[in-house]
Amino acid sequence: MAANDSFSGEAYLLMKEYFYTTARYILFAVTLLSDSYLLFITDVLLILTHFSITIQVWICLIIFTAVLLYLTVTPVTLAAMTLERYVAICMPLRHGQLCSTQNTVNIILLIHAISSVPGILILSAFFVSASLSFYRQYQFCSVEIFMLYIWQHNLRSGIYQVQFLIMVIIIVFSYIKIMKVAKAASGEDKQSSRKGLRTVALHGFQLLLCLIQLWCPFIEVAILQIDVGLFEIARYLNFLLFYLAPRCLSPLIYGLRDEVYFQALKYYASFGLLKRNI
């Protein structure tokens, strides 16, 4: 059978290897794993809170050590994916070298190192403020129990605002540079540049959703001072609108825009019945 007549298993294996060796697919997988972990943990914590189940603070501390890390991994990865598109379009001759598999692995390690900074600072402020007896108390597990003083809330807000400002600068810088290339390009290069612009714009929208997620706790605390029932409603709405929906829809939209990923998704969704040559 000719290679272009069917979507053979051998070709499909090669396509899978392409996913594992291409920078943007590796980084995309990082966002999927990060979002999946956060969705799982937040679902569990929401169930515990709904049934009024409390746990000891030291157990909650272990859980939120990872949560604070992966809460930031996705937006930082979005910034890295934006830079990858910038290199691919503005420096195509160096893209293969700068975005090699080994460099991508190093970038993932750097992403996790950068993402750990807010958690380290927030938890360090908690460690110097909490007594040893507090760790043995039973509390509803949420990040608010680590905020014992107003200055800790302000510290958390300041850390995240500075971090997201840096990522916004990266995305705006990449968008402007790609736009200049798109204006000067022609033919297929122009089409590729425009697609890159749409991708960067999507990253900016995803980053905005991540920023709104960080504002949710401050909104909830303000509503809690007004009415407890309204606070519970606001918390559920924030979870559905700004935690659950973006982390489900944004990766799917991004993936469906990619032709190779879309063909692979069709293959899996049809259990291999819809075979196409990529």
Side-chain angles (χ1 to χ4, degrees):
M1 182 179 293
N4 59 353
D5 290 338
S6 67
F7 193 21
S8 66
E10 182 181 358
Y12 189 64
L13 289 175
L14 291 175
M15 188 199 66
K16 289 173 63 176
E17 182 181 355
Y18 180 71
F19 281 131
Y20 302 145
T21 57
T22 304
R24 68 175 180 272
Y25 293 128
I26 297 174
L27 294 175
F28 181 49
V30 171
T31 64
L32 291 179
L33 292 174
S34 172
D35 289 343
S36 298
Y37 172 79
L38 276 177
L39 287 175
F40 173 75
I41 294 298
T42 51
D43 284 343
V44 172
L45 295 178
L46 188 66
I47 292 172
L48 293 178
T49 303
H50 179 76
F51 290 101
S52 301
I53 300 174
T54 59
I55 61 177
Q56 285 187 304
V57 172
W58 68 269
I59 299 177
C60 184
L61 178 63
I62 295 174
I63 295 173
F64 264 94
T65 299
V67 168
L68 289 174
L69 170 64
Y70 286 100
L71 185 66
T72 314
V73 163
T74 292
V76 176
T77 306
L78 290 175
M81 294 171 71
T82 300
L83 289 176
E84 186 274 333
R85 287 294 84 199
Y86 162 73
V87 173
I89 295 172
C90 299
M91 297 185 292
L93 297 180
R94 300 191 61 190
H95 181 261
Q97 177 186 358
L98 296 176
C99 299
S100 64
T101 304
Q102 183 59 50
N103 285 342
T104 304
V105 173
N106 295 334
I107 289 172
I108 292 173
L109 296 176
L110 181 62
I111 287 171
H112 283 75
I114 295 173
S115 301
S116 65
V117 172
I120 291 173
L121 295 177
I122 291 170
L123 294 179
S124 296
F126 168 74
F127 291 147
V128 300
S129 304
S131 62
L132 293 177
S133 60
F134 184 76
Y135 294 92
R136 296 190 294 271
Q137 294 181 12
Y138 284 84
Q139 301 270 0
F140 291 109
C141 190
S142 67
V143 71
E144 280 72 26
I145 69 174
F146 305 117
M147 307 287 117
L148 303 179
Y149 302 100
I150 296 297
W151 67 267
Q152 292 174 317
H153 287 277
N154 296 333
L155 174 65
R156 180 180 65 163
S157 176
I159 291 170
Y160 283 127
Q161 297 299 333
V162 170
Q163 190 177 54
F164 273 82
L165 176 62
I166 294 172
M167 287 182 282
V168 167
I169 292 173
I170 291 174
I171 289 179
V172 172
F173 167 80
S174 301
Y175 189 88
I176 293 174
K177 289 294 185 179
I178 294 175
M179 183 183 296
K180 291 181 179 178
V181 173
K183 289 182 178 179
S186 61
E188 293 184 2
D189 291 337
K190 192 175 187 67
Q191 184 178 0
S192 176
S193 299
R194 288 180 175 176
K195 186 176 181 181
L197 283 174
R198 292 193 294 269
T199 300
V200 172
L202 177 59
H203 291 335
F205 176 70
Q206 290 175 293
L207 188 63
L208 176 62
L209 293 177
C210 292
L211 182 59
I212 293 175
Q213 293 169 16
L214 295 177
W215 290 340
C216 287
F218 302 101
I219 298 173
E220 293 169 2
V221 169
I223 295 177
L224 180 61
Q225 305 300 322
I226 301 174
D227 183 77
V228 176
L230 187 61
F231 164 76
E232 293 182 354
I233 295 174
R235 194 167 192 179
Y236 281 117
L237 288 177
N238 286 338
F239 176 75
L240 293 175
L241 296 177
F242 302 119
Y243 281 85
L244 186 60
R247 295 188 184 279
C248 290
L249 293 178
S250 294
L252 183 61
I253 294 171
Y254 177 83
L256 292 179
R257 292 180 65 253
D258 187 274
E259 183 179 354
V260 178
Y261 180 88
F262 179 67
Q263 296 300 333
L265 184 63
K266 285 176 61 178
Y267 181 87
Y268 279 119
S270 65
F271 300 100
L273 297 178
L274 293 178
K275 297 182 178 182
R276 287 194 56 183
N277 183 30
I278 297 182

